[in-house]
Short mmCIF file of all heavy atoms in Angstrom, two decimals:
data_model
loop_
_atom_site.label_atom_id
_atom_site.label_comp_id
_atom_site.label_asym_id
_atom_site.label_seq_id
_atom_site.Cartn_x
_atom_site.Cartn_y
_atom_site.Cartn_z
N MET A 177 9.86 -2.39 -0.49
CA MET A 177 8.48 -2.28 0.08
C MET A 177 7.84 -3.59 -0.33
O MET A 177 7.91 -4.12 -1.44
CB MET A 177 7.80 -1.11 -0.54
CG MET A 177 6.31 -1.02 -0.18
SD MET A 177 5.64 0.66 -0.37
CE MET A 177 6.14 1.36 1.13
N THR A 178 7.11 -4.11 0.60
CA THR A 178 6.44 -5.37 0.36
C THR A 178 5.19 -5.24 -0.52
O THR A 178 4.64 -4.16 -0.64
CB THR A 178 6.03 -6.05 1.70
OG1 THR A 178 4.96 -5.21 2.32
CG2 THR A 178 7.21 -6.23 2.66
N LYS A 179 4.75 -6.34 -1.08
CA LYS A 179 3.67 -6.31 -1.93
C LYS A 179 2.33 -6.00 -1.16
O LYS A 179 1.43 -5.36 -1.70
CB LYS A 179 3.49 -7.72 -2.72
CG LYS A 179 4.49 -7.97 -3.70
CD LYS A 179 4.24 -9.23 -4.36
CE LYS A 179 5.29 -9.51 -5.44
NZ LYS A 179 5.13 -10.80 -6.12
N GLU A 180 2.35 -6.38 0.16
CA GLU A 180 1.20 -6.09 0.98
C GLU A 180 1.06 -4.59 1.18
O GLU A 180 -0.03 -4.02 1.22
CB GLU A 180 1.33 -6.82 2.29
CG GLU A 180 1.19 -8.26 2.24
CD GLU A 180 2.52 -9.06 1.79
OE1 GLU A 180 3.62 -8.49 1.79
OE2 GLU A 180 2.37 -10.20 1.34
N LYS A 181 2.21 -3.90 1.34
CA LYS A 181 2.13 -2.44 1.65
C LYS A 181 1.74 -1.70 0.38
O LYS A 181 0.93 -0.78 0.43
CB LYS A 181 3.48 -1.96 2.10
CG LYS A 181 3.82 -2.27 3.51
CD LYS A 181 5.10 -1.68 3.99
CE LYS A 181 5.43 -2.00 5.45
NZ LYS A 181 6.60 -1.32 5.90
N ILE A 182 2.14 -2.16 -0.82
CA ILE A 182 1.75 -1.56 -2.08
C ILE A 182 0.22 -1.82 -2.28
O ILE A 182 -0.46 -0.89 -2.66
CB ILE A 182 2.62 -2.11 -3.21
CG1 ILE A 182 4.07 -1.58 -3.07
CG2 ILE A 182 2.00 -1.64 -4.58
CD1 ILE A 182 5.01 -2.15 -4.02
N ALA A 183 -0.14 -2.95 -1.96
CA ALA A 183 -1.65 -3.25 -2.10
C ALA A 183 -2.44 -2.39 -1.22
O ALA A 183 -3.56 -1.94 -1.58
CB ALA A 183 -1.86 -4.76 -1.79
N ARG A 184 -1.89 -2.16 0.00
CA ARG A 184 -2.66 -1.31 0.94
C ARG A 184 -2.65 0.12 0.53
O ARG A 184 -3.68 0.83 0.64
CB ARG A 184 -1.92 -1.37 2.39
CG ARG A 184 -2.60 -0.57 3.44
CD ARG A 184 -4.01 -1.00 3.75
NE ARG A 184 -4.56 -0.24 4.81
CZ ARG A 184 -5.80 0.01 5.01
NH1 ARG A 184 -6.77 -0.59 4.26
NH2 ARG A 184 -6.26 0.77 5.99
N ILE A 185 -1.57 0.63 -0.10
CA ILE A 185 -1.60 1.98 -0.67
C ILE A 185 -2.65 2.02 -1.78
O ILE A 185 -3.42 3.03 -1.79
CB ILE A 185 -0.19 2.27 -1.35
CG1 ILE A 185 0.88 2.50 -0.27
CG2 ILE A 185 -0.26 3.52 -2.19
CD1 ILE A 185 2.32 2.58 -0.79
N ASN A 186 -2.73 1.05 -2.66
CA ASN A 186 -3.72 1.05 -3.73
C ASN A 186 -5.17 0.99 -3.10
O ASN A 186 -6.10 1.63 -3.63
CB ASN A 186 -3.48 -0.01 -4.62
CG ASN A 186 -2.27 0.15 -5.46
OD1 ASN A 186 -1.87 1.32 -5.77
ND2 ASN A 186 -1.58 -0.91 -5.85
N GLU A 187 -5.34 0.14 -2.12
CA GLU A 187 -6.60 0.07 -1.41
C GLU A 187 -7.11 1.37 -0.84
O GLU A 187 -8.25 1.81 -1.02
CB GLU A 187 -6.50 -1.01 -0.36
CG GLU A 187 -7.81 -1.26 0.41
CD GLU A 187 -7.56 -2.34 1.55
OE1 GLU A 187 -6.77 -3.25 1.34
OE2 GLU A 187 -8.19 -2.09 2.61
N LEU A 188 -6.19 2.07 -0.17
CA LEU A 188 -6.54 3.35 0.39
C LEU A 188 -6.82 4.40 -0.66
O LEU A 188 -7.65 5.29 -0.51
CB LEU A 188 -5.42 3.85 1.35
CG LEU A 188 -5.26 3.06 2.63
CD1 LEU A 188 -3.89 3.44 3.33
CD2 LEU A 188 -6.39 3.25 3.53
N ALA A 189 -6.04 4.36 -1.78
CA ALA A 189 -6.31 5.29 -2.95
C ALA A 189 -7.70 5.05 -3.46
O ALA A 189 -8.40 6.01 -3.73
CB ALA A 189 -5.16 5.12 -3.97
N LYS A 190 -8.07 3.86 -3.70
CA LYS A 190 -9.42 3.53 -4.20
C LYS A 190 -10.50 4.00 -3.21
O LYS A 190 -11.51 4.62 -3.63
CB LYS A 190 -9.51 2.05 -4.45
CG LYS A 190 -8.74 1.56 -5.69
CD LYS A 190 -8.84 0.06 -5.87
CE LYS A 190 -7.93 -0.39 -6.96
NZ LYS A 190 -7.89 -1.88 -7.11
N LYS A 191 -10.27 3.76 -1.94
CA LYS A 191 -11.22 4.13 -0.96
C LYS A 191 -11.43 5.73 -0.86
O LYS A 191 -12.44 6.21 -0.68
CB LYS A 191 -10.92 3.57 0.39
CG LYS A 191 -11.99 3.86 1.49
CD LYS A 191 -11.72 3.24 2.78
CE LYS A 191 -12.79 3.61 3.66
NZ LYS A 191 -12.50 3.24 5.09
N SER A 192 -10.29 6.34 -1.10
CA SER A 192 -10.31 7.81 -0.99
C SER A 192 -11.20 8.50 -2.07
O SER A 192 -11.66 9.57 -1.92
CB SER A 192 -8.87 8.38 -1.00
OG SER A 192 -8.32 8.31 -2.27
N ARG A 193 -11.31 7.76 -3.21
CA ARG A 193 -12.10 8.25 -4.27
C ARG A 193 -13.61 7.92 -4.17
O ARG A 193 -14.41 8.37 -5.01
CB ARG A 193 -11.61 7.70 -5.62
CG ARG A 193 -10.20 8.30 -5.98
CD ARG A 193 -9.78 7.94 -7.32
NE ARG A 193 -9.42 6.46 -7.46
CZ ARG A 193 -8.27 5.93 -7.29
NH1 ARG A 193 -7.22 6.71 -6.94
NH2 ARG A 193 -8.02 4.63 -7.42
N THR A 194 -13.98 7.20 -3.12
CA THR A 194 -15.36 6.88 -2.91
C THR A 194 -16.06 8.00 -2.08
O THR A 194 -15.37 8.82 -1.56
CB THR A 194 -15.54 5.55 -2.12
OG1 THR A 194 -15.06 5.70 -0.81
CG2 THR A 194 -14.91 4.36 -2.90
N GLU A 195 -17.40 7.91 -2.01
CA GLU A 195 -18.06 8.92 -1.25
C GLU A 195 -17.74 8.86 0.32
O GLU A 195 -17.67 9.89 0.88
CB GLU A 195 -19.62 8.65 -1.34
CG GLU A 195 -20.16 9.24 -2.63
CD GLU A 195 -21.61 9.19 -2.63
OE1 GLU A 195 -22.30 9.40 -1.63
OE2 GLU A 195 -22.18 8.86 -3.73
N ALA A 196 -17.49 7.73 0.76
CA ALA A 196 -17.08 7.46 2.15
C ALA A 196 -15.82 8.13 2.53
O ALA A 196 -15.61 8.65 3.62
CB ALA A 196 -17.13 5.93 2.54
N GLY A 197 -14.86 8.05 1.61
CA GLY A 197 -13.54 8.73 1.76
C GLY A 197 -12.72 7.97 2.87
O GLY A 197 -12.99 6.81 3.19
N LEU A 198 -11.70 8.69 3.35
CA LEU A 198 -10.82 8.04 4.36
C LEU A 198 -11.07 8.69 5.76
O LEU A 198 -11.36 9.90 5.78
CB LEU A 198 -9.35 8.26 3.94
CG LEU A 198 -8.93 7.60 2.63
CD1 LEU A 198 -7.46 8.03 2.32
CD2 LEU A 198 -9.04 6.11 2.73
N THR A 199 -10.85 7.88 6.76
CA THR A 199 -10.84 8.39 8.11
C THR A 199 -9.58 9.17 8.35
O THR A 199 -8.64 9.05 7.59
CB THR A 199 -11.05 7.36 9.13
OG1 THR A 199 -9.89 6.51 9.08
CG2 THR A 199 -12.31 6.52 8.91
N GLU A 200 -9.44 9.85 9.41
CA GLU A 200 -8.15 10.59 9.67
C GLU A 200 -7.08 9.53 9.91
O GLU A 200 -6.00 9.80 9.44
CB GLU A 200 -8.40 11.49 10.93
CG GLU A 200 -9.26 12.67 10.63
CD GLU A 200 -8.76 13.56 9.51
OE1 GLU A 200 -7.54 13.83 9.47
OE2 GLU A 200 -9.60 13.97 8.70
N ALA A 201 -7.31 8.47 10.63
CA ALA A 201 -6.31 7.46 10.81
C ALA A 201 -5.86 6.90 9.47
O ALA A 201 -4.67 6.61 9.27
CB ALA A 201 -6.90 6.37 11.72
N GLU A 202 -6.81 6.65 8.52
CA GLU A 202 -6.43 6.12 7.26
C GLU A 202 -5.69 7.12 6.42
O GLU A 202 -4.73 6.73 5.67
CB GLU A 202 -7.69 5.65 6.45
CG GLU A 202 -8.34 4.38 7.05
CD GLU A 202 -9.69 4.11 6.36
OE1 GLU A 202 -10.41 5.03 5.99
OE2 GLU A 202 -10.03 2.88 6.34
N LYS A 203 -6.00 8.35 6.55
CA LYS A 203 -5.24 9.42 5.85
C LYS A 203 -3.76 9.45 6.32
O LYS A 203 -2.88 9.61 5.57
CB LYS A 203 -5.85 10.76 6.05
CG LYS A 203 -7.14 11.00 5.24
CD LYS A 203 -7.74 12.39 5.58
CE LYS A 203 -9.08 12.51 4.82
NZ LYS A 203 -9.69 13.86 5.09
N ALA A 204 -3.66 9.36 7.69
CA ALA A 204 -2.25 9.26 8.27
C ALA A 204 -1.48 8.05 7.74
O ALA A 204 -0.24 8.14 7.46
CB ALA A 204 -2.38 9.35 9.75
N GLU A 205 -2.14 6.92 7.73
CA GLU A 205 -1.53 5.68 7.26
C GLU A 205 -1.12 5.80 5.80
O GLU A 205 -0.01 5.39 5.46
CB GLU A 205 -2.58 4.49 7.43
CG GLU A 205 -1.96 3.18 6.91
CD GLU A 205 -2.98 2.07 6.97
OE1 GLU A 205 -4.15 2.29 7.19
OE2 GLU A 205 -2.64 0.93 6.71
N GLN A 206 -2.04 6.36 5.07
CA GLN A 206 -1.75 6.61 3.59
C GLN A 206 -0.50 7.49 3.40
O GLN A 206 0.36 7.21 2.64
CB GLN A 206 -2.95 7.19 2.90
CG GLN A 206 -2.78 7.34 1.38
CD GLN A 206 -3.99 7.98 0.74
OE1 GLN A 206 -4.52 8.93 1.28
NE2 GLN A 206 -4.38 7.43 -0.38
N ALA A 207 -0.45 8.52 4.11
CA ALA A 207 0.71 9.49 4.08
C ALA A 207 1.96 8.84 4.40
O ALA A 207 2.95 8.99 3.77
CB ALA A 207 0.43 10.73 4.91
N ALA A 208 1.91 7.98 5.48
CA ALA A 208 3.13 7.24 5.98
C ALA A 208 3.60 6.28 4.96
O ALA A 208 4.78 6.15 4.63
CB ALA A 208 2.86 6.67 7.31
N LEU A 209 2.63 5.53 4.39
CA LEU A 209 2.96 4.53 3.29
C LEU A 209 3.55 5.19 2.06
O LEU A 209 4.51 4.72 1.53
CB LEU A 209 1.77 3.67 2.96
CG LEU A 209 1.36 2.67 4.03
CD1 LEU A 209 0.04 2.05 3.67
CD2 LEU A 209 2.36 1.57 4.18
N ARG A 210 2.93 6.32 1.67
CA ARG A 210 3.44 7.01 0.47
C ARG A 210 4.87 7.57 0.69
O ARG A 210 5.66 7.50 -0.16
CB ARG A 210 2.51 8.17 0.17
CG ARG A 210 1.24 7.75 -0.52
CD ARG A 210 0.33 8.93 -0.89
NE ARG A 210 -0.76 8.56 -1.63
CZ ARG A 210 -1.81 9.33 -1.86
NH1 ARG A 210 -1.80 10.62 -1.44
NH2 ARG A 210 -2.85 8.97 -2.59
N ARG A 211 5.10 8.13 1.87
CA ARG A 211 6.44 8.63 2.25
C ARG A 211 7.47 7.50 2.17
O ARG A 211 8.58 7.69 1.67
CB ARG A 211 6.40 9.29 3.59
CG ARG A 211 7.65 9.75 4.13
CD ARG A 211 8.49 10.74 3.32
NE ARG A 211 7.90 11.63 2.43
CZ ARG A 211 8.41 12.10 1.38
NH1 ARG A 211 9.62 11.82 0.97
NH2 ARG A 211 7.69 12.95 0.56
N GLU A 212 7.08 6.38 2.75
CA GLU A 212 7.99 5.17 2.82
C GLU A 212 8.31 4.76 1.30
O GLU A 212 9.47 4.48 0.97
CB GLU A 212 7.37 4.06 3.54
CG GLU A 212 8.24 2.81 3.70
CD GLU A 212 7.63 1.65 4.43
OE1 GLU A 212 6.61 1.91 5.18
OE2 GLU A 212 8.09 0.56 4.31
N TYR A 213 7.25 4.70 0.52
CA TYR A 213 7.41 4.30 -0.92
C TYR A 213 8.28 5.29 -1.62
O TYR A 213 9.26 4.87 -2.37
CB TYR A 213 6.04 4.22 -1.62
CG TYR A 213 6.10 3.89 -3.07
CD1 TYR A 213 6.28 2.57 -3.43
CD2 TYR A 213 6.05 4.85 -4.03
CE1 TYR A 213 6.37 2.18 -4.74
CE2 TYR A 213 6.15 4.47 -5.41
CZ TYR A 213 6.30 3.17 -5.72
OH TYR A 213 6.33 2.81 -7.02
N ILE A 214 8.11 6.54 -1.50
CA ILE A 214 8.98 7.60 -2.15
C ILE A 214 10.34 7.54 -1.70
O ILE A 214 11.32 7.57 -2.52
CB ILE A 214 8.29 8.99 -1.91
CG1 ILE A 214 7.04 9.13 -2.70
CG2 ILE A 214 9.31 10.10 -2.30
CD1 ILE A 214 6.26 10.36 -2.33
N ASP A 215 10.59 7.35 -0.42
CA ASP A 215 11.90 7.29 0.14
C ASP A 215 12.69 6.06 -0.40
O ASP A 215 13.84 6.15 -0.73
CB ASP A 215 11.92 7.24 1.70
CG ASP A 215 11.49 8.51 2.30
OD1 ASP A 215 11.48 9.51 1.62
OD2 ASP A 215 11.19 8.46 3.55
N GLU A 216 12.01 4.93 -0.50
CA GLU A 216 12.63 3.76 -1.11
C GLU A 216 12.87 3.91 -2.59
O GLU A 216 13.99 3.41 -3.04
CB GLU A 216 11.74 2.49 -0.84
CG GLU A 216 11.75 2.04 0.64
CD GLU A 216 11.04 0.71 0.81
OE1 GLU A 216 10.88 -0.09 -0.16
OE2 GLU A 216 10.59 0.51 1.97
N MET A 217 12.10 4.57 -3.30
CA MET A 217 12.31 4.79 -4.75
C MET A 217 13.50 5.77 -4.90
O MET A 217 14.33 5.54 -5.75
CB MET A 217 11.12 5.38 -5.43
CG MET A 217 9.89 4.43 -5.48
SD MET A 217 10.33 2.92 -6.33
CE MET A 217 10.56 3.50 -7.95
N LYS A 218 13.62 6.77 -4.07
CA LYS A 218 14.73 7.70 -4.15
C LYS A 218 16.02 6.97 -3.86
O LYS A 218 17.07 7.16 -4.54
CB LYS A 218 14.58 8.85 -3.15
CG LYS A 218 13.67 9.96 -3.53
CD LYS A 218 13.57 11.00 -2.51
CE LYS A 218 12.74 12.15 -2.73
NZ LYS A 218 12.68 13.13 -1.75
N GLN A 219 16.04 6.13 -2.78
CA GLN A 219 17.23 5.29 -2.47
C GLN A 219 17.67 4.42 -3.65
O GLN A 219 18.86 4.25 -3.94
CB GLN A 219 17.04 4.57 -1.22
CG GLN A 219 18.17 3.68 -0.75
CD GLN A 219 19.41 4.59 -0.53
OE1 GLN A 219 19.31 5.67 0.02
NE2 GLN A 219 20.59 4.09 -0.93
N SER A 220 16.62 3.77 -4.25
CA SER A 220 16.98 2.91 -5.39
C SER A 220 17.59 3.68 -6.55
O SER A 220 18.54 3.26 -7.15
CB SER A 220 15.63 2.29 -5.84
OG SER A 220 15.86 1.51 -7.03
N LEU A 221 17.07 4.90 -6.84
CA LEU A 221 17.59 5.75 -7.90
C LEU A 221 19.04 6.17 -7.58
O LEU A 221 19.89 6.14 -8.41
CB LEU A 221 16.65 6.93 -8.15
CG LEU A 221 17.17 7.92 -9.24
CD1 LEU A 221 17.34 7.20 -10.55
CD2 LEU A 221 16.23 9.10 -9.31
N ARG A 222 19.25 6.54 -6.33
CA ARG A 222 20.58 6.99 -5.91
C ARG A 222 21.59 5.81 -6.08
O ARG A 222 22.72 6.03 -6.56
CB ARG A 222 20.64 7.41 -4.45
CG ARG A 222 20.14 8.76 -4.21
CD ARG A 222 20.31 9.22 -2.82
NE ARG A 222 19.48 10.41 -2.52
CZ ARG A 222 18.35 10.45 -1.78
NH1 ARG A 222 17.99 9.35 -1.21
NH2 ARG A 222 17.72 11.66 -1.59
N SER A 223 21.14 4.63 -5.74
CA SER A 223 21.95 3.47 -5.81
C SER A 223 22.35 3.20 -7.31
O SER A 223 23.48 2.84 -7.67
CB SER A 223 21.29 2.22 -5.22
OG SER A 223 22.00 1.07 -5.41
N GLN A 224 21.27 3.40 -8.19
CA GLN A 224 21.57 3.11 -9.61
C GLN A 224 22.58 4.12 -10.18
O GLN A 224 23.44 3.80 -10.94
CB GLN A 224 20.29 3.13 -10.38
CG GLN A 224 19.39 1.94 -10.19
CD GLN A 224 18.08 2.14 -10.86
OE1 GLN A 224 17.95 2.91 -11.84
NE2 GLN A 224 17.05 1.34 -10.44
N LEU A 225 22.37 5.42 -9.77
CA LEU A 225 23.27 6.48 -10.27
C LEU A 225 24.66 6.28 -9.72
O LEU A 225 25.62 6.58 -10.39
CB LEU A 225 22.68 7.84 -9.87
CG LEU A 225 21.45 8.19 -10.67
CD1 LEU A 225 20.90 9.55 -10.12
CD2 LEU A 225 21.74 8.28 -12.13
N ASP A 226 24.81 5.80 -8.46
CA ASP A 226 26.11 5.62 -7.88
C ASP A 226 26.96 4.56 -8.62
O ASP A 226 28.11 4.54 -8.66
CB ASP A 226 26.04 5.18 -6.35
CG ASP A 226 25.61 6.31 -5.57
OD1 ASP A 226 25.74 7.50 -5.93
OD2 ASP A 226 25.21 6.14 -4.40
N ASN A 227 26.21 3.65 -9.23
CA ASN A 227 26.83 2.55 -9.93
C ASN A 227 26.88 2.72 -11.49
O ASN A 227 27.33 1.89 -12.22
CB ASN A 227 26.09 1.17 -9.68
CG ASN A 227 26.30 0.80 -8.23
OD1 ASN A 227 27.43 0.81 -7.68
ND2 ASN A 227 25.21 0.42 -7.57
N ALA A 228 26.43 3.91 -11.87
CA ALA A 228 26.44 4.19 -13.29
C ALA A 228 27.79 4.98 -13.69
O ALA A 228 28.38 5.62 -12.93
CB ALA A 228 25.25 5.13 -13.69
N ASP A 229 28.22 4.70 -14.92
CA ASP A 229 29.34 5.34 -15.47
C ASP A 229 29.04 6.10 -16.69
O ASP A 229 28.00 5.94 -17.32
CB ASP A 229 30.40 4.28 -15.91
CG ASP A 229 30.93 3.60 -14.67
OD1 ASP A 229 30.95 4.17 -13.61
OD2 ASP A 229 31.44 2.43 -14.84
N TYR A 230 29.94 7.05 -17.12
CA TYR A 230 29.72 7.74 -18.36
C TYR A 230 31.14 7.81 -19.01
O TYR A 230 32.19 7.52 -18.38
CB TYR A 230 29.24 9.11 -18.18
CG TYR A 230 30.21 10.13 -17.52
CD1 TYR A 230 30.88 11.10 -18.45
CD2 TYR A 230 30.46 10.19 -16.20
CE1 TYR A 230 31.80 11.89 -17.89
CE2 TYR A 230 31.44 11.09 -15.66
CZ TYR A 230 32.06 11.88 -16.48
OH TYR A 230 32.91 12.84 -16.00
N ILE A 231 31.11 8.05 -20.35
CA ILE A 231 32.43 8.14 -21.03
C ILE A 231 32.66 9.60 -21.38
O ILE A 231 31.84 10.29 -22.02
CB ILE A 231 32.35 7.30 -22.25
CG1 ILE A 231 32.14 5.82 -21.95
CG2 ILE A 231 33.65 7.48 -23.15
CD1 ILE A 231 32.02 4.87 -23.07
N ASP A 232 33.84 10.10 -20.90
CA ASP A 232 34.08 11.57 -21.11
C ASP A 232 34.58 11.81 -22.45
O ASP A 232 34.62 10.85 -23.33
CB ASP A 232 35.10 12.10 -20.04
CG ASP A 232 36.46 11.48 -20.21
OD1 ASP A 232 36.78 10.79 -21.19
OD2 ASP A 232 37.30 11.67 -19.27
N ASP A 233 34.94 13.03 -22.79
CA ASP A 233 35.34 13.47 -24.14
C ASP A 233 36.52 12.73 -24.59
O ASP A 233 36.78 12.58 -25.86
CB ASP A 233 35.68 14.94 -24.15
CG ASP A 233 34.40 15.81 -23.87
OD1 ASP A 233 33.31 15.28 -24.07
OD2 ASP A 233 34.57 16.93 -23.43
N LYS A 234 37.37 12.25 -23.76
CA LYS A 234 38.62 11.59 -24.14
C LYS A 234 38.40 10.11 -24.22
O LYS A 234 39.40 9.30 -24.49
CB LYS A 234 39.75 11.80 -23.06
CG LYS A 234 40.12 13.31 -23.01
CD LYS A 234 41.14 13.57 -21.93
CE LYS A 234 41.43 15.05 -21.90
NZ LYS A 234 42.37 15.32 -20.78
N GLY A 235 37.19 9.57 -23.98
CA GLY A 235 36.88 8.18 -24.06
C GLY A 235 37.17 7.39 -22.85
O GLY A 235 37.17 6.22 -22.84
N VAL A 236 37.35 8.08 -21.70
CA VAL A 236 37.69 7.41 -20.44
C VAL A 236 36.31 7.20 -19.70
O VAL A 236 35.52 8.19 -19.58
CB VAL A 236 38.62 8.26 -19.57
CG1 VAL A 236 38.86 7.65 -18.27
CG2 VAL A 236 39.94 8.50 -20.34
N ARG A 237 36.19 5.97 -19.20
CA ARG A 237 35.01 5.75 -18.47
C ARG A 237 35.11 6.24 -17.01
O ARG A 237 36.10 5.98 -16.41
CB ARG A 237 34.78 4.17 -18.43
CG ARG A 237 33.52 3.75 -17.64
CD ARG A 237 33.29 2.30 -17.69
NE ARG A 237 33.12 1.74 -19.01
CZ ARG A 237 31.91 1.58 -19.58
NH1 ARG A 237 30.87 1.82 -18.91
NH2 ARG A 237 31.90 1.14 -20.78
N ARG A 238 34.21 6.99 -16.56
CA ARG A 238 34.24 7.60 -15.23
C ARG A 238 32.85 7.48 -14.48
O ARG A 238 31.84 7.36 -15.16
CB ARG A 238 34.53 9.07 -15.35
CG ARG A 238 35.79 9.39 -15.99
CD ARG A 238 36.11 10.88 -15.87
NE ARG A 238 37.33 11.27 -16.65
CZ ARG A 238 38.53 11.15 -16.10
NH1 ARG A 238 38.66 10.72 -14.84
NH2 ARG A 238 39.58 11.45 -16.78
N PRO A 239 32.91 7.36 -13.14
CA PRO A 239 31.61 7.36 -12.43
C PRO A 239 30.88 8.65 -12.57
O PRO A 239 31.41 9.72 -12.63
CB PRO A 239 32.08 7.03 -10.97
CG PRO A 239 33.53 7.40 -10.95
CD PRO A 239 34.11 7.34 -12.30
N VAL A 240 29.57 8.59 -12.48
CA VAL A 240 28.70 9.72 -12.56
C VAL A 240 28.98 10.71 -11.46
O VAL A 240 28.90 11.92 -11.66
CB VAL A 240 27.21 9.29 -12.48
CG1 VAL A 240 26.32 10.40 -12.42
CG2 VAL A 240 26.86 8.49 -13.75
N SER A 241 29.41 10.27 -10.26
CA SER A 241 29.75 11.11 -9.13
C SER A 241 30.87 12.12 -9.57
O SER A 241 30.91 13.21 -8.99
CB SER A 241 30.16 10.38 -7.97
OG SER A 241 31.27 9.55 -8.17
N ASP A 242 31.72 11.82 -10.60
CA ASP A 242 32.73 12.74 -10.99
C ASP A 242 32.16 13.92 -11.72
O ASP A 242 32.83 14.95 -11.88
CB ASP A 242 33.70 12.03 -11.93
CG ASP A 242 34.67 11.11 -11.10
OD1 ASP A 242 34.58 11.18 -9.79
OD2 ASP A 242 35.47 10.43 -11.72
N LEU A 243 30.91 13.86 -12.17
CA LEU A 243 30.36 14.99 -12.98
C LEU A 243 30.29 16.22 -12.09
O LEU A 243 30.45 17.32 -12.60
CB LEU A 243 28.90 14.62 -13.37
CG LEU A 243 28.80 13.67 -14.66
CD1 LEU A 243 27.37 13.31 -14.91
CD2 LEU A 243 29.43 14.37 -15.87
N LYS A 244 30.01 16.10 -10.82
CA LYS A 244 29.93 17.30 -9.88
C LYS A 244 31.29 17.95 -9.86
O LYS A 244 31.34 19.17 -9.93
CB LYS A 244 29.55 16.87 -8.46
CG LYS A 244 28.14 16.37 -8.40
CD LYS A 244 27.76 16.02 -6.98
CE LYS A 244 26.41 15.47 -6.86
NZ LYS A 244 26.13 14.98 -5.50
N LYS A 245 32.39 17.14 -9.93
CA LYS A 245 33.70 17.70 -9.76
C LYS A 245 34.05 18.40 -11.10
O LYS A 245 34.66 19.50 -11.09
CB LYS A 245 34.69 16.59 -9.55
CG LYS A 245 34.55 15.94 -8.16
CD LYS A 245 35.48 14.77 -8.07
CE LYS A 245 35.09 13.90 -6.86
NZ LYS A 245 35.85 12.71 -6.81
N VAL A 246 33.60 17.91 -12.26
CA VAL A 246 33.96 18.54 -13.55
C VAL A 246 33.25 19.84 -13.76
O VAL A 246 33.69 20.83 -14.25
CB VAL A 246 33.63 17.46 -14.65
CG1 VAL A 246 33.69 18.20 -16.00
CG2 VAL A 246 34.48 16.30 -14.60
N LYS A 247 31.90 19.90 -13.33
CA LYS A 247 31.12 21.08 -13.54
C LYS A 247 31.52 22.25 -12.61
O LYS A 247 31.17 23.47 -12.99
CB LYS A 247 29.67 20.81 -13.44
CG LYS A 247 29.18 19.86 -14.64
CD LYS A 247 27.73 19.68 -14.56
CE LYS A 247 27.32 18.84 -15.79
NZ LYS A 247 25.96 18.84 -16.10
N ASN A 248 32.13 21.98 -11.53
CA ASN A 248 32.50 23.08 -10.62
C ASN A 248 33.70 23.79 -10.97
O ASN A 248 34.49 23.81 -11.58
CB ASN A 248 32.56 22.52 -9.16
CG ASN A 248 31.16 22.16 -8.70
OD1 ASN A 248 30.16 22.66 -9.08
ND2 ASN A 248 31.13 21.28 -7.69
#
């Protein structure tokens, strides 16, 4: 997400706390920007977890994705 979009999210958040509030168009824009931000954060977290490893009881390094197989 670009710095401009994050700045716009913050600008809309500040405006929403004023007496004037947000117009319907601004509310829709805010919702879309927030959804985009959340989706990008989720993707980033998934990517980090996909590249993370753990060490099992036997001292073997395994990818985190193997945890699902072990617990089932």
Side-chain angles (χ1 to χ4, degrees):
M177 175 160 276
T178 64
K179 289 182 181 181
E180 291 82 17
K181 286 185 178 183
I182 292 173
R184 182 64 178 155
I185 290 171
N186 292 329
E187 180 183 323
L188 290 169
K190 288 176 188 175
K191 186 177 179 190
S192 71
R193 291 187 291 268
T194 64
E195 283 187 38
L198 298 175
T199 65
E200 290 303 315
E202 289 171 330
K203 287 179 185 179
E205 178 186 8
Q206 183 183 42
L209 287 169
R210 284 179 173 172
R211 174 57 29 208
E212 182 180 344
Y213 179 80
I214 290 168
D215 291 343
E216 287 186 24
M217 293 304 293
K218 282 182 177 179
Q219 181 59 39
S220 175
L221 179 59
R222 281 188 194 106
S223 178
Q224 288 177 21
L225 290 175
D226 286 344
N227 292 312
D229 293 334
Y230 73 100
I231 298 177
D232 68 9
D233 297 336
K234 298 177 183 176
V236 178
R237 182 179 297 266
R238 299 187 183 276
V240 172
S241 60
D242 284 353
L243 283 174
K244 290 180 183 176
K245 296 174 190 170
V246 171
K247 290 188 177 191
N248 290 335

